[in-house]
């Protein structure tokens, strides 16, 4: 636990950031206005539509905030010279990365959880009481998602030589693997590999396509939260997943149950999405830890 | 046991060698000044001691530990005031110190530490609002956390006014009286003279001279100046002084003669010569060569 004082310092420092308060405000507004939507969502989820309203704001805005708070966490300190205090403490370099990740995740979770509680209370007034157990599970998965993105951002920051490099890599990651993945790039990747174009309105029964679709943190998070909301096995947005399963509506969601008729392999099992997040946590950290351990910090 | 031993240390970057074959030893309880112009390799050496930067070759022992393999043990026992640092602008002085105190598991209090550096009045002010001198004092307070056995101070006088420099000197003396070994780099040479037991002069990555200040002064061949105020100052008297072997030059103004001598003992010869030439010395004063002149003598023609 030699990383704990650094985590506490990171938390204290980041908690005083105006940007974090702005993020909290954006998350509250976007989550509140995401409640409701089409009538079929209310019909399918009842009061749990309040929980579902957090899915898109968390993936897009909290994901963006996670990148913002992490991409300069190491290289920024190397450039300013404050890393000399941190790395002058009795702790190993992997403990520096651990302290930064834990502290920054904790700081970002404050506005995240405040949003969940505040918007849920507003939602309860309009839509009634939702499932508390599903709410808690959804919140834990959201924390895990933010933690994953912060691990990726911190890993990039630890291997970058300049803040510009870190910014390019981190925001590139956000655009490719978060913002554009679910509805565009996952299809492009599948087409590039197989040569088969994807029509998401009538997706092929390809385990590879569905695997690629959920192979990023956002895809895995959607699979897990859709499972918590009990709407089906899919990496798509909850609204599209519900719509796709209605007789008179088609959507671009890729829903396992609608394509594979129960014959899909274990690779698309919902719990494996936790393994995808674990990979996005461990691989960047192992690589960056190896590089950071050998790097000159001044 | 030496507090610090550096053996054959070399650090090469892609296009330059920052430090080459550096060896030095600092005894426990010593105040050692590491001098050199900007770019000489002082900060690189300190960065290697703190494991911020890895050496290309060479061995280091700090308090009997290897700075890389035994990093936790070393950093637990060493206080560092780094060069070119930046504080955390949103955190207060108190929070900076709480972080270091927690990290080292020390029993210190932020109040007492900041009082030692004269910052107690700004303890709950954000460090981003501190002046550069205040930030330097805060960093020094951070270095003192946990009563370190070795203090490494990299350019501690940077950004300080005379009062701040005095505060640093007093703290160095206090810590040294407690038995702490102090290794610091500086190019503010006047300050060095006041607090160092020994100095090492680094130039272009090489240690070109090392020793007590009086030893370096003697080895460098830098002359002291003795000024005599003489009644009846005559040309014959000046010529007689000029002809002495231990005198390298003279200048006169009114009834004062400034004599450049090779060593301190020469002034006795000069005094006798003045009196035998019919002069009467009213007063005299000796100005030893400064560390700056010694430093220039060692590095000027390189």
């Amino acid at each position: 636990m030699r990383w704990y004082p650094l985590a506490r310092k990171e938390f204290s420092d980041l908690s005083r950031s105006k940007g974090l308060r702005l993020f909290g405000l954006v998350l509250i507004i976007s989550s509140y206005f995401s409640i409701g939507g089409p009538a079929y969502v209310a019909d399918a989820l009842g009061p749990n539509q309040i929980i579902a309203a957090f899915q898109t704001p968390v993936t897009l805005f909290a994901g963006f905030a996670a990148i913002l708070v992490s991409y300069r966490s190491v290289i920024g300190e190397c450039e300013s010279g404050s890393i000399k205090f941190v790395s002058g403490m009795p702790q190993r370099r992997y403990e520096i990365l651990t302290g930064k990740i834990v502290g920054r995740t904790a700081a970002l979770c404050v506005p995240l959880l405040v949003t969940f509680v505040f918007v849920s209370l507003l939602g309860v007034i309009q839509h009634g009481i939702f499932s508390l157990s599903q709410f808690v599970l959804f919140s834990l998965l959201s924390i895990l998602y933010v933690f994953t993105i912060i691990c990726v951002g911190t890993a990039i920051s630890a291997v970058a030589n300049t803040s510009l490099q870190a910014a390019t890599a981190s925001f590139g990651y956000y655009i490719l693997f978060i913002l554009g993945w679910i509805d565009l790039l996952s299809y492009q990747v599948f087409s590039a590999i197989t040569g088969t174009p994807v029509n998401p309105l009538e997706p092929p029964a390809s385990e590879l396509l569905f695997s690629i679709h959920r192979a990023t943190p956002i895809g895995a998070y959607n699979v897990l939260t859709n499972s918590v909301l009990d709407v089906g096995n899919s990496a798509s947005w909850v609204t599209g997943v519900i719509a796709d399963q209605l007789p008179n509506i088609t959507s671009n969601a890729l829903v396992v149950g609608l394509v594979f008729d129960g014959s899909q392999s274990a690779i698309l099992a919902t719990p494996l999405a936790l393994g995808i997040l674990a990979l996005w946590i461990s691989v960047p950290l192992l690589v960056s830890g190896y590089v950071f351990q050998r790097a000159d910090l001044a | 046991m030496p507090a610090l031993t550096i053996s054959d240390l070399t650090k090469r970057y892609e296009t330059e060698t920052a430090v080459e074959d550096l060896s030095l030893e600092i005894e426990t309880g010593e105040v050692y000044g590491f001098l050199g112009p900007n770019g000489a390799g002082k900060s690189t050496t300190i960065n290697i001691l703190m494991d911020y930067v890895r050496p290309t070759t060479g061995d280091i022992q700090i308090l009997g530990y290897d700075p890389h393999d035994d990093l936790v043990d070393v950093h637990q026992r060493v206080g560092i005031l780094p060069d070119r640092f930046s504080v955390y602008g949103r955190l207060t002085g108190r929070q900076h110190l709480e972080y270091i105190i927690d990290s080292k598991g020390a029993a210190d209090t932020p109040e007492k530490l900041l009082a030692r550096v004269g910052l107690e009045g700004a303890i709950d002010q954000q460090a981003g609002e501190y002046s550069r001198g205040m930030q330097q004092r805060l960093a020094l307070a951070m270095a003192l956390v946990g009563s370190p056995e070795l203090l490494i101070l990299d350019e501690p006088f940077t950004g300080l006014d005379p009062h701040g420099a005095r505060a640093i000197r007093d703290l160095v003396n206090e810590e040294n009286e407690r038995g702490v070994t102090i290794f610091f780099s500086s190019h503010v040479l006047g300050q060095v003279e006041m607090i160092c037991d020994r100095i090492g002069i680094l130039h272009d990555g090489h240690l070109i001279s090392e020793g007590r200040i009086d030893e370096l002064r003697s080895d460098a061949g830098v002359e002291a100046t003795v000024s005599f105020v003489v009644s009846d100052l005559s040309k014959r008297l000046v010529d007689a002084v000029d002809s002495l072997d231990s005198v390298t030059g003279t200048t006169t103004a009114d009834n004062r003669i400034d004599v450049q001598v090779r060593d301190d003992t020469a002034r006795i010869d000069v005094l006798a010569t003045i009196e035998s030439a019919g002069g009467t010395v009213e007063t005299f004063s000796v100005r030893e060569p400064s560390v700056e002149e010694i430093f220039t003598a060692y590095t000027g023609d390189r």
Side-chain angles (χ1 to χ4, degrees), chain B residues 194-207:
Chain B
M194 289 188 251
I195 52 175
C196 281
D197 297 323
R198 276 197 307 149
I199 60 174
I201 298 178
L202 196 68
H203 190 64
D204 282 345
H206 296 86
L207 189 68

Side-chain angles (χ1 to χ4, degrees), chain B residues 95-116:
Chain B
Q95 288 168 322
H96 278 80
L97 284 161
E98 283 172 346
Y99 163 54
I100 308 293
I101 290 168
D102 287 351
S103 294
K104 289 194 160 184
D108 298 305
T109 63
E111 289 83 358
K112 283 186 180 171
L113 287 161
L114 286 178
R116 289 191 70 188

